[in-house]
Amino acid sequence: MRTEAIDPPGITWLRVSPKYVTVRLAGWALSTLFLVALLCLPLVLVLNGVWQSFPLWLAVAVPAVTLLLALWRLLLIPRQVRAIGYAEREDDLLIRRGIFYQRTLVVPYGRMQYVDIGAGPVERALGLCTLKLHTASAGTNAEIPGLPAAEGARLREQLSARGEARLAGL
Amino acid sequence: MKPGAAPAASAGAAAGAPDGAWLRVHPASPFVRGWVALAAIAFFFFRDSFERMLQGGPLVDERLADRAPWLLLGGGGLLLLTVLGYVLSWYFTRYQVADGYVRLNTGFLFKQQRQARLDRVQAIDIVQPLLARIFGLAELKFEVADAGESAVRLAYLRMDEARLLRAAILARAAGAAPDPARPGEAAAEAPEHAVLTVPPRRLVGSLLLSEQSMFVVVGGVASVVLSAFTENRSFYLFLIPAVLGMVAAYWNSINRGYNFTAAISPDGIRLRYGLLDTQAQTLPPGRIQALRVSQPPLWRIFGWYRIQVNVAGYGGAGSDGGGSSRTTLLPVGTFPDVLTMLSLVLPDPGTTDPVGIFSAGINGLAAPAGSPAHAPADTGPDDGGFVTTPQRARLLAPLGWRRNGFTATGTALLIRSGRWWRHLVVVPHQRTQSMALEQGPLARRFRVVDLVLHTTAGPVSPRLVQAGLDEGRALLDDQAARARTARKRQTSEHWLDQVRALAADPAGTEAPSSTEAAASTQAPNSTGAPSSAEAPTNTDEPANTEEPNRQDDRQHG
C-alpha cells in the first residue's frame, strides 16, 4: 500500500542508519525467543503427560500464532526503520516514524529542556546511539534511534546551541 | 481583603526581615501536624481509666495497681520522646528568603536543604487544615516548574505572616526588587477584586447531577434488579461499602468545593475554597498551560460548566490528595462565569468576537450533512470559525463529527469535541511544548489525522481528533509558526490592564489608588517602565536548562 504521508510538504528527511535494522532484529529475536519459549511451556507439559486436561491443539496453536505474528513483525522491521526520519528546520526539529501508525512530531528548539544520548550494548557494538529530547511535557516522546555516533554528537551540539539561542520560559 | 497596614512587628518577622535572615516556623506547628500521634498515645493510656471513671470505679485497676508506676513511666517516656522529637524537628526547620531563592532546611539526623527559585514559582497556595485554622495558622506551599512532588512547604506560619510572605514571594517572582529604603512596602499585599463565587446550592446540585451520581443510580438500579431476579439478598450487602464510599466522595467534594471564590489581583488569580479545611491558591499570570471547559450531559439542564487547568508543578489529578481540586479553576459555573474565567486566563483572546467564538467552541455544532452550509463537500463545514471533521469521515464519529473541530485566535488554539460530554480545550500559543500528527490505518482510509499538543502534566490533554488531512497538515505548520511568534513577544502586560478595568468598576470605589500603588511596586516592567531589557517578567525568563529549579541535598549529620 502506497501510503500518503502526513508530513508537512517540502521536507527532506534525514534517515537513520540502516545498521539500526540489526539492533531491532536483535531485540526482536530476544523478545520472540522469550515469548515463544514461555508459551511453549503448556505444550511441553502436555507432551510429557503432566497436564493431561489441557487440549493439545490449543497448546500448539498459541505458540504457532505468536510465532507467525512475530514473523510478520520481522518483515516489517526494515520498512519501519526506513520510515524513521528527522529534519532540522529553522526553528524546530521534526521527527517522524511509523508505517501503519504514523506520527510526525514537531519540537521547537526553544522548548527543549535537555538532550540525552544513550546506547544499548548492541547499538554500541555497531557504533550507533539513541538521541532523546526532553521538554517540560512528559508527552513529548521525542526519540531518534539508530544514529551513527558522530551524527548523534553533532546533532546534540547543534540542538543545544539552537536551543540556547531560542530558549523560552515554560 | 486585608487592610494594607499590617502590624510592624509581624511584618518584620515575616517578609520585611532583612534578606538572608533564617527564620523558624511557628512553634506549635509540629503539634498541629502530629496531633494524631499525641491523641493516639493519650487514647491508648487513658481509655481504660476513663471507662472505669464512667462506671464509677477506681481510676486504676486493682490488679494493675502495683504495675501502674511502670505503665505511667512508659507512657510518659513515650510522650516525652514524641514531644522532644517535635521540638527538635521544629528547631531544625528553618527557612530563608534571599537572593531570589527560598531555602528550607529540615531534619536533625538526616538533613535536607531545599531551595527554589522565586522567579520559577508557578503557583502558591495557603492551606489551612481545620486544626491549623482553629489556631490561626496556615501552611504556605509553592510549586516551581517541576512535574514531581510539591516543591516547598512552610508549615505552619501565622496567617498574617503567611500572607505577607506570599505577597513578598509573588512580588519578587514578578520581578519587583525590594525597596531598600522602605522594606515593608514591597511586602504590601496586592489588592484583589472578587470576580465570582459558587453558591452552595449550585455546588450540591452539580454533585447530584454529576457523572458520579449517574453511576450511583445505575449501580443501585442494577443491584436492586439483580436481587429481585435472583432472590438473593446479598446484593444489598455489597451496597453498604459502596454507599459509604459514595458518601465520603460527596463529602470530600463539598468540603473542598464549598464557598468557592475567584478573585483577581495584580499578582494572579486567587481561588479560595473549603468548608473545614480552607485553601487559597494564587496562580500568577501566564502560568496556566492549558485549560478545559467541560459539561457532563446532565449539567446541560441548568447550563453549568466546569473548568480544569494544567499548571506546571501541580501534576496530574489525584497525585497529592487534593490534586483534582487544585487543578479545578471553576468547579461549577454558568456560561457568564465561564466567560469571566476565560477572560482572566486569557486577557487578550486574540479575536474581535470572543463571546461568539467561545460559545461556538463550548456549545456549537456544525451544520448537518447535506445542508448548503458547506458547498465544497470535501472540506469540513465551518461554524463560528471552527473547522470540523470533514463529512467523508463521519462514519468514524457518527455523533461527534460535527463537534470535533478547532480554531485558532491570535493568542490561543481552541479544540472542541464531544456531543454529549462537551469539551473545549484552550491552549495559549506560547504554552505549546511540542506537537505531533498521528494517523492510524483506519484514519488514513478516510484521510483524517489527529493532532496532539503536548503540555505539562495535568488533567487536560489536548488532542484534536479527526481533522481533515490537509487541514491538519496546515495546522501543524501554522501552529508551529504561531507558537514561535507568541514565544517571542511573551509578556504579561495585558494582565494589569485587566485589573485596572475591574478597578475602574463602580464596585470598588476606594480601590484604584491602591491598585496603582500596588501596580507600581508589584510589576514595574508592565506599567510602562522604559526598557524591556531589564524586565525579567515572570514568564519569559530564560534559564530553565542550566539551573535546576530545585535542589535537594541530603547528607548524614
Side-chain angles (χ1 to χ4, degrees), chain B residues 15 17 19 97-101 118-119 167-178 186 522 536:
Chain B
D19 266 7
V97 185
D99 315 329
Y101 283 92
L118 287 181
D119 53 11
I169 289 174
L170 283 168
R172 308 255 177 104
Q522 298 284 332

Side-chain angles (χ1 to χ4, degrees), chain A residues 48-111:
Chain A
N48 288 341
V50 181
W51 195 357
Q52 296 287 359
S53 57
F54 199 78
L56 182 65
W57 65 268
L58 196 63
V60 175
V62 169
V65 168
T66 313
L67 198 64
L68 270 180
L69 283 176
L71 284 176
W72 188 53
R73 277 204 333 204
L74 173 69
L75 292 179
L76 286 180
I77 284 180
R79 285 181 63 197
Q80 280 178 343
V81 169
R82 277 202 300 277
I84 302 173
Y86 60 95
E88 294 165 81
R89 293 202 300 188
E90 181 72 12
D91 286 286
D92 40 35
L93 180 78
L94 269 68
I95 305 175
R96 61 145 297 136
R97 67 154 193 241
I99 320 166
F100 284 113
Y101 291 91
Q102 296 189 11
R103 189 174 93 135
T104 304
L105 179 75
V106 182
V107 188
Y109 296 132
R111 284 295 179 216

Side-chain angles (χ1 to χ4, degrees), chain A residues 104 106 111 113 137 140 170, chain B residues 430-431 434-435 437 455 545:
Chain A
T104 304
V106 182
R111 284 295 179 216
Q113 304 266 358
S137 163
T140 308
L170 203 58
Chain B
Q430 70 264 39
R431 299 279 163 255
S434 62
M435 284 176 292
L437 279 180
T455 75
T545 50

